[in-house]
Amino acid sequence: AQTVTQSQPEMSVQEAETVTLSCTYDTSESDYYLFWYKQPPSRQMILVIRQEAYKQQNATENRFSVNFQKAAKSFSLKISDSQLGDAAMYFCAYRRLNNNAGNMLTFGGGTRLMVKP
Amino acid sequence: GAGVSQSPRYKVAKRGRDVALRCDSISGHVTLYWYRQTLGQGSEVLTYSQSDAQRDKSGRPSGRFSAERPERSVSTLKIQRTEQGDSAVYLCASSPRQLAKNIQYFGAGTRLSVL
């Protein structure tokens, strides 16, 4: 079974600074997807960024980028120029590439990011 | 154009009672998922359904969890004989198709407290 681990329950960053959230996972699959979701307080989770495991190039979405190390099974999220609106819970998630059982996500425990003005 | 909507947002139940949580997904989405989110443990999938078919994810104890899909874009998660350990946030998600590339869109969740 796949597992996803986020070792940082909480992180804080000064506004305009850069922060990196860690995520490691365990799988025997060679092809899969990795995701970072953001969940603001009392609001729904929204997708921040997605990485296909077969792509060597790290995904980037504006101020958000990932460092995908497939051999190490590591998938960290870097947030540049942090903004107050980035404060939220961040969840790392894994999904098999082709899953006839429904493409369910496996989530990590989450990291609460606080942004200091 | 509304996203995934869940109701109620908060639910308090006495231990042993049955509860029903509702999810209204995005129109046209095919697959609906229910996840259970507990603090520090992330989210685990409870069940999912594709179109009108209901498929349960193994792992939930004693079959107390089930989902119905009375309409294509509506799902109801039913928890029978609630236990204190069922206290969690229940998330509903939907996706357009049963294809690997499609992402899931989440609701804001229902926070269930079992006393």
Side-chain angles (χ1 to χ4, degrees):
Chain A
Q2 295 82 20
T3 59
V4 179
T5 302
Q6 293 177 250
S7 59
Q8 305 153 317
E10 282 191 359
M11 291 283 285
S12 66
V13 62
Q14 202 72 34
E15 194 176 8
E17 297 292 310
T18 296
V19 65
T20 299
L21 308 184
S22 301
C23 173
T24 58
Y25 58 94
D26 187 25
T27 183
S28 58
E29 305 285 330
S30 58
D31 291 322
Y32 45 86
Y33 290 97
L34 295 166
F35 307 83
W36 278 97
Y37 277 87
K38 171 186 177 182
Q39 187 178 34
S42 300
R43 296 180 60 186
Q44 59 257 66
M45 275 200 289
I46 55 174
L47 180 66
V48 174
I49 200 165
R50 176 176 66 183
Q51 175 82 40
E52 290 95 336
Y54 59 87
K55 290 186 177 179
Q56 292 188 343
Q57 188 174 7
N58 288 325
T60 299
E61 289 287 342
N62 300 314
R63 296 183 297 108
F64 298 87
S65 61
V66 299
N67 183 5
F68 173 47
Q69 300 289 328
K70 190 172 184 179
K73 295 181 181 175
S74 170
F75 183 61
S76 60
L77 174 69
K78 185 172 81 171
I79 307 174
S80 304
D81 185 26
S82 297
Q83 301 175 0
L84 294 178
D86 294 334
M89 283 290 291
Y90 285 81
F91 293 95
C92 179
Y94 167 101
R95 193 181 77 201
R96 293 174 64 181
L97 186 66
N98 281 307
N99 185 346
N100 291 328
N103 288 327
M104 289 84 73
L105 295 167
T106 299
F107 286 92
T111 296
R112 182 177 302 281
L113 178 66
M114 295 172 284
V115 181
K116 300 177 182 178
Chain B
V4 178
S5 175
Q6 293 186 242
S7 59
R9 290 296 310 277
Y10 303 92
K11 176 73 177 175
V12 179
K14 273 189 169 182
R15 187 176 53 185
R17 302 296 291 268
D18 298 349
V19 298
L21 312 179
R22 179 184 170 109
C23 172
D24 290 83
S25 69
I26 298 171
S27 177
H29 279 198
V30 171
T31 308
L32 287 174
Y33 306 82
W34 282 99
Y35 292 86
R36 181 171 116 156
Q37 185 181 57
T38 50
L39 190 64
Q41 296 179 29
S43 304
E44 58 171 336
V45 64
L46 293 173
T47 185
Y48 75 96
S49 67
Q50 301 170 33
S51 296
D52 299 322
Q54 172 59 45
R55 299 188 187 189
D56 287 328
K57 170 74 167 67
S58 63
R60 295 314 310 152
S62 68
R64 295 187 298 108
F65 294 75
S66 63
E68 295 177 359
R69 197 159 172 179
E71 302 170 36
R72 191 174 182 86
S73 61
V74 176
S75 178
T76 302
L77 178 70
K78 296 189 175 181
I79 309 174
Q80 296 178 303
R81 304 180 302 281
T82 52
E83 303 171 357
Q84 285 189 321
D86 295 334
S87 297
V89 175
Y90 290 82
L91 299 174
C92 175
S94 68
S95 65
R97 292 182 184 279
Q98 178 54 20
L99 291 176
K101 284 196 172 183
N102 283 285
I103 66 172
Q104 295 177 23
Y105 297 81
F106 284 83
T110 294
R111 182 175 294 278
L112 173 66
S113 298
V114 180
L115 306 178

